[in-house]
Amino acid sequence: MPAKKNYWLLKSEPDCYSIDDLQRDGTTFWSGVRNYQARNYMRDEMKPGDGVLFYHSSAEPPGVAGIAEIAREGYADATALDPKDDHYDPKSTQENPIWMMVDVKFVKKFKELIPLNELKETPGLEKMMVTQRGSRLSVQPVTEEEWKIVTKMRK
DNA sequence: GCCAACGTTGGC
DNA sequence: GCCAACGTTGGC
C-alpha cells in the first residue's frame, strides 16, 4: 500500500524566490533551511508527491500564492557544504549532513493570492499553524482537511 | 521601522 | 542545566 500523502506549507519571501520563479523553473531545490524542526520534517516526513502550499512571507500581503509538490525526498543541502555560500555551515559534511533540502515542483499559481487575513477568517483553518500569532516556522505540516479547504479557495 | 515571538548561544 | 543576551523571522 502506498504511504499516505502528506501536506505542507513552505514559506518563501517573494523578493527572494516567488511562485513566478518556481513556475519559470519548474522544479527547484528547497535549500537554505536552518531550523531543526523544519529540517526534521524535510528529512523524515516529506516524500515525493506530497502537496505543498506555496506561501509568500514578508510580502504585501502575505499569503498562499499557489500549489507545488514534493519532487524528491530529503538529501544533503549543498549550500551548507559550500564555503562560498551564505548558508555555509562548517559543521555539515557530505558524509554527515546536518542540513537537508528537498526538490519542489511547480503545480499551479492561484489566479489570486489567498491573503493571510482571509485564511484567518476561514472556518476550519483556526488551528492551522500559519494562522497562529507569531508562527515563524518556514516548513509547516498541513492537515488533509486544511489542504482541502485552502485548495478550494482559489482556481 | 517596530516589535513580539522564539530559537540559539554562551557564561556560569 | 539554567537563563540572559542576542539574532532572526515576519506580521503589521
Side-chain angles (χ1 to χ4, degrees):
Chain A
M1 195 179 86
K4 197 170 185 303
K5 193 169 164 177
N6 291 322
Y7 301 95
W8 307 98
L9 179 144
L10 295 182
K11 291 183 187 173
S12 182
E13 298 190 20
D15 288 347
C16 177
Y17 196 86
S18 73
I19 188 84
D20 294 314
D21 295 319
L22 184 62
Q23 182 164 30
R24 181 198 63 219
D25 295 342
T27 302
T28 194
F29 317 107
W30 208 260
S31 62
V33 174
R34 295 294 179 267
N35 170 283
Y36 285 104
Q37 202 178 342
R39 188 279 312 268
N40 293 346
Y41 285 133
M42 294 203 291
R43 184 188 62 189
D44 305 331
E45 297 189 48
M46 281 187 186
K47 53 191 186 309
D50 283 0
V52 171
L53 298 175
F54 193 104
Y55 183 87
H56 281 177
S57 63
S58 296
E60 188 46 54
V64 177
I67 297 174
E69 181 182 302
I70 301 298
R72 179 176 170 182
E73 65 186 4
Y75 59 111
D77 183 336
T79 65
L81 306 173
D82 178 1
K84 293 186 294 297
D85 197 281
D86 286 347
H87 295 285
Y88 176 60
D89 185 343
K91 295 191 294 300
S92 194
T93 64
Q94 185 63 245
E95 296 71 35
N96 244 321
I98 295 178
W99 303 114
M100 310 291 282
M101 61 184 180
V102 295
D103 288 357
V104 172
K105 184 172 73 178
F106 177 80
V107 174
K108 75 169 167 183
K109 177 185 176 180
F110 289 141
K111 296 268 187 287
E112 291 183 311
L113 175 133
I114 309 171
L116 177 59
N117 267 345
E118 189 176 338
L119 296 176
K120 285 180 175 172
E121 289 166 359
T122 302
L125 302 183
E126 297 87 354
K127 293 192 175 154
M128 200 175 172
M129 216 182 274
V130 77
T131 64
Q132 310 303 305
R133 172 183 166 76
S135 140
R136 299 193 310 162
L137 196 60
S138 65
V139 174
Q140 307 182 351
V142 171
T143 68
E144 188 173 0
E145 291 69 30
E146 290 161 353
W147 171 266
K148 284 180 181 162
I149 293 169
V150 174
T151 54
K152 280 177 187 157
M153 290 169 73
R154 291 290 189 282
K155 296 284 187 193

